[in-house]
Amino acid sequence: MSESQQPYRVLARKYRPQRFADLIGQDAMVQTLANAIARERLAHAFLLTGVRGVGKTSTARLIAKALNCVGPDGQGGPTIDPCGVCEPCRAIAEGRHIDVIEIDAASHNGVDDVREISEAVRYAAVSARYKIYIIDEVHMLSKAAFNAVLKTLEEPPAHVKFLLATTEVQKIPVTVLSRCQRFDLKRIPAEKLADHFARVVEAEQVEAEPEALQLIARAAEGSARDGLSILDQAIAHGGPVVSADQVRDMLGLSDRGAVRRLFGLLLAGDAPGVLGALRDQYDLGVEPSTVFIGLLEAVHGVTRAKAGGGQDPALSMEEREAHADWAGRLGFATLHRLWQLLLKGHAEVQAAALPIEAAEMALLRVVHASTMPDPGELARRLVNGEVTAVPAQAAPPEAAPADAPAPMLARPTPPADFPALVEVVNARRPLLGQQLHDFVGLVRYAPPELVVRPTGPLPAEFARDLGALLRSIYEMRWDVSIADGPAEPSLLDKQKSAENAARDAILATPVVKAAFEAFAEAELVDYTPPEPGFAARSA
């Protein structure tokens, strides 16, 4: 049969890895296997785990080829780079090798199926170096089947290797896990998938926009097989070029530009604009839950940009610039609140009998929440005295005449001296008050101006925080600055000086002096500083 008459093979099968070098994103596993083969330290059982489509079964077949390859000349041994041309390699690739047995545990999950394996392992391989059992979706075996295979799995004959593959490793008994060498196949990054798809479309002589391949890679969620299936569908969808718009229409994805516009309307609190933009997407066939996924991705991208976590290379330049702009204008508290509101909205839309109505209500909730103060900020302002809670009154006060002027509240007056100001600050913010008392020397106190010199360690935000607190207390702008040069001792130093002076006064009294002269080893402890004039009265 000529090549043109051969039945069409889908891309997921046509481009299945035939060498370890073709595996995408599994470098650590390949390196471990290469070292094990080179040092002849091969385990008797391997467990391959990972999400669907990352290459578990393909890896198992590659391991079978690596262990049974004899090279083009028929004299080769186990190798991490099987030749692909010898009879064992070709037979394994085509699924017809008599000594490489593939078993689907979903349909052969009983004790009898496992018993057949236990009986067959006693016989040597017919033509290969190793008899290899590839058991796919091994977690589907029954509990009795697992128990029946334990002994065989732990001590198989030297000519037998077991390769187990599963997507749900948590369902496998620990007794089985402990008997296998485990490899966790990673999700394939979107950028690597996009590069792989670019090579595929080039080999297929098909043109595709880079953005279209990035959309397919993102939709594949780390699965090469899923991505190739989507790419196959996109090529068959029609058109000389696989375009991004075509892929969005095919997958029902929201236009990312439309998502950015909707996100901007949410931040602006434009309720009519938000409802209109959502309806536009809905009329184009985009599911409401997909719109929420796009908004969640936008919040995540902005938060990553703000945290310095780097940008997704699959994002367009417009998206990166938009994320950087929003990251500079939005705080972490706002972004986290947006994430929680959108996540809750997404769950409501998925469970709602009326998805579009639920989406509108959820987005309106986000709009109205954007105009409310952040609870944490409001609590901080209450604690700092920047706002005052108004208690509810039991009865309304007597109505004042309409032309009566509004009562004016007297503005609090700053203290007359610096120590009194420290007492006020200490009552509101004890930590700030202690720093002002212990580690600051006064240069100038002329409310609303305060100039100090540090005498000890102070946080970088000390002047800013103190100025904000004084402004909230006295309802005026304070100029708090740090300066070098002559300054009074700190209040702590003054306090210590006063205590030392009082102690010296006590030691100078005749009675105490006589006591120290009579008792050479005496010392003054646990004394109370005297009242003013105590030394004079004692004299």
Side-chain angles (χ1 to χ4, degrees), residues 352-380:
L354 303 171
I356 183 61
E357 286 80 0
E360 290 178 342
M361 295 299 293
L363 290 183
L364 286 176
R365 184 169 61 226
V366 176
V367 169
H368 294 148
S370 67
T371 64
M372 297 173 59
D374 180 75
E377 177 66 16
L378 185 60
R380 185 191 67 79

Side-chain angles (χ1 to χ4, degrees), residues 3-16:
E3 183 176 352
S4 60
Q5 295 176 327
Q6 291 181 355
Y8 176 72
R9 281 197 303 164
V10 296
L11 299 181
R13 292 187 59 192
K14 185 175 182 179
Y15 292 96
R16 173 170 265 172

Side-chain angles (χ1 to χ4, degrees), residues 394-522:
E398 184 178 352
D403 57 350
M408 298 295 293
L409 298 178
R411 175 181 293 176
T413 303
D417 56 23
F418 178 64
L421 181 75
V422 174
E423 292 296 330
V424 173
V425 172
N426 189 65
R428 294 292 188 96
R429 296 275 294 275
L431 179 59
L432 198 59
Q434 181 185 4
Q435 293 168 345
L436 197 60
H437 180 276
D438 295 354
F439 305 132
V440 158
L442 179 64
V443 176
R444 184 167 57 259
Y445 178 67
E449 181 185 14
L450 175 62
V451 184
V452 296
R453 179 174 64 84
T455 61
L458 289 176
E461 301 84 5
F462 173 79
R464 185 197 66 187
D465 293 346
L466 180 58
L469 178 61
L470 295 177
R471 181 169 62 251
S472 67
I473 296 174
Y474 298 110
E475 301 176 6
M476 65 174 69
R477 182 178 180 83
W478 279 70
D479 182 14
V480 179
S481 58
I482 306 292
D484 294 328
E488 297 179 8
S490 69
L491 295 183
L492 177 63
D493 291 338
K494 289 183 177 181
Q495 179 182 336
K496 290 181 178 179
S497 297
E499 292 174 356
N500 290 334
R503 185 177 187 277
D504 292 341
I506 293 175
L507 293 174
T509 59
V511 175
V512 176
K513 288 178 66 175
F516 273 90
E517 290 173 359
F519 303 97
E521 297 181 359

